Amino acid sequence: MKNIIKNSFGLLLCWLGLISSGQSHISYVARDFGALDPSISQAVVLSSQTVTSDFGWASGTDPNLGDSHKLRAFKFSLANDGDVQIRVEGLSFVKGSVSIQALLRPAFSIYQGWAHESPAALDHDASAISTLYNDTTYGAGNWQGSFRALHDWKIGSDDGSTFADLSSFAYVGHGADGTALNYGAESGIFGDGNADGMVVQTLRLSSGFYSLFIGGAQYYDLLNTGGDATGSYGFSVTLTTIPEPSSLGLWGAGVALLLMSRRKKI
Ligand SMILES: [Ca+2]
Ligand SMILES: [Ca+2]
């Protein structure tokens, strides 16, 4: 009898493990753009990325928020204030022996702030502190997850016990592929007007620590009825720093002065 109970418990843990591995918590592993400096030209590409569902970003624009498992999180830091171009493009590719279809309508939001990272416990929508915070802030039954595409939001880990333990994301900006025909009628969404599987946008950012959340911009309804909640969709994302012409000019002037002083010495 003891063995039966022990084996059943083992199976339960295994089953829970499968569930948790299928719904990964917020993580930046292999999705870190590093420390960028907008005063010089840099471009970092992270290709062959995947996200679950085609509606994760759009679902976070409506009143009942969105499930953060249906977005992919990236991080970077900026040494100085400056312009950063974000380019997200749907991409089909083969992962192992699995064909990944392209994310047809990509979108992104940028926030100041980072989630908890290993060795700390990772943040997720179903943690006790996330649940308490969302119930308190939005009302029990009024939220699908913690993700908000157009506003600040918070989320916590299983180690969190008070709201002070939550990770905070301060909304900075967003970009979405297409028009209201795909991302819906929610106010405050600025699409690029051309549903071509790509969104490119340049944002002026202050120095600091940033999270970038990418997901699908296909809106269905408050319950995501008809959306593909489990499919895996591919994309690539490129961050490019864009130095101001004045700093390029100063750099050019510096080089000219250096050349002139060398010539004088010769
Ligand atoms: Ca929603
Ligand atoms: Ca587009």
Side-chain angles (χ1 to χ4, degrees):
M1 184 67 183
K2 260 187 183 175
N3 274 346
I4 291 172
I5 291 171
K6 196 177 168 185
N7 287 343
S8 301
F9 185 63
L11 279 173
L12 178 66
L13 285 180
C14 187
W15 181 68
L16 288 172
L18 282 173
I19 287 178
S20 64
S21 66
Q23 295 198 339
S24 54
H25 303 335
I26 293 174
S27 163
Y28 306 113
V29 173
R31 290 187 294 274
D32 181 0
F33 285 96
L36 304 177
D37 183 351
S39 66
I40 57 175
S41 287
Q42 292 173 295
V44 184
V45 185
L46 294 177
S47 196
S48 303
Q49 302 295 317
T50 59
V51 67
T52 303
S53 92
D54 59 346
F55 58 76
W57 184 87
S59 180
T61 64
D62 67 15
N64 69 359
L65 294 75
D67 179 353
S68 71
H69 297 100
K70 300 202 171 353
L71 295 112
R72 198 58 97 177
F74 300 78
K75 76 173 204 178
F76 62 96
S77 66
L78 282 187
N80 305 298
D81 300 358
D83 292 332
V84 179
Q85 183 196 72
I86 300 101
R87 176 192 174 98
V88 187
E89 191 166 5
L91 180 73
S92 59
F93 58 93
V94 177
K95 189 179 179 182
S97 58
V98 179
S99 291
I100 305 288
Q101 58 195 317
L103 179 63
L104 278 184
R105 299 287 167 257
F108 68 85
S109 292
I110 286 189
Y111 309 85
Q112 281 199 326
W114 284 348
H116 289 110
E117 292 182 77
S118 179
L122 302 182
D123 299 323
H124 66 109
D125 301 276
S127 70
I129 196 65
S130 294
T131 301
L132 181 62
Y133 175 76
N134 288 335
D135 280 352
T136 306
T137 309
Y138 308 105
N142 292 337
W143 52 275
Q144 295 182 309
S146 304
F147 174 71
R148 301 182 82 196
L150 308 173
H151 302 279
D152 300 351
W153 55 289
K154 292 173 186 272
I155 190 168
S157 75
D158 291 334
D159 285 348
S161 55
T162 74
F163 292 168
D165 298 326
L166 294 165
S167 298
S168 294
F169 299 112
Y171 173 77
V172 174
H174 75 272
D177 182 32
T179 67
L181 286 176
N182 57 275
Y183 54 65
E186 201 63 41
S187 63
I189 306 176
F190 299 104
D192 66 10
N194 183 14
D196 59 356
M198 184 177 76
V199 58
V200 184
Q201 188 154 329
T202 300
L203 294 174
R204 178 83 183 171
L205 300 176
S206 307
S207 63
F209 303 93
Y210 291 90
S211 293
L212 172 66
F213 283 81
I214 295 175
Q218 187 65 49
Y219 189 73
Y220 293 91
D221 62 17
L222 283 169
L223 300 176
N224 310 316
T225 309
D228 178 4
T230 55
S232 194
Y233 293 84
F235 65 92
S236 71
V237 50
T238 307
L239 293 195
T240 307
T241 54
I242 303 175
E244 287 181 26
S246 58
S247 60
L248 278 176
L250 285 172
W251 183 81
V255 170
L257 281 171
L258 192 68
L259 288 173
M260 280 172 68
S261 68
R262 280 192 177 173
R263 275 187 192 149
K264 278 181 184 172
K265 280 178 188 168
I266 292 167

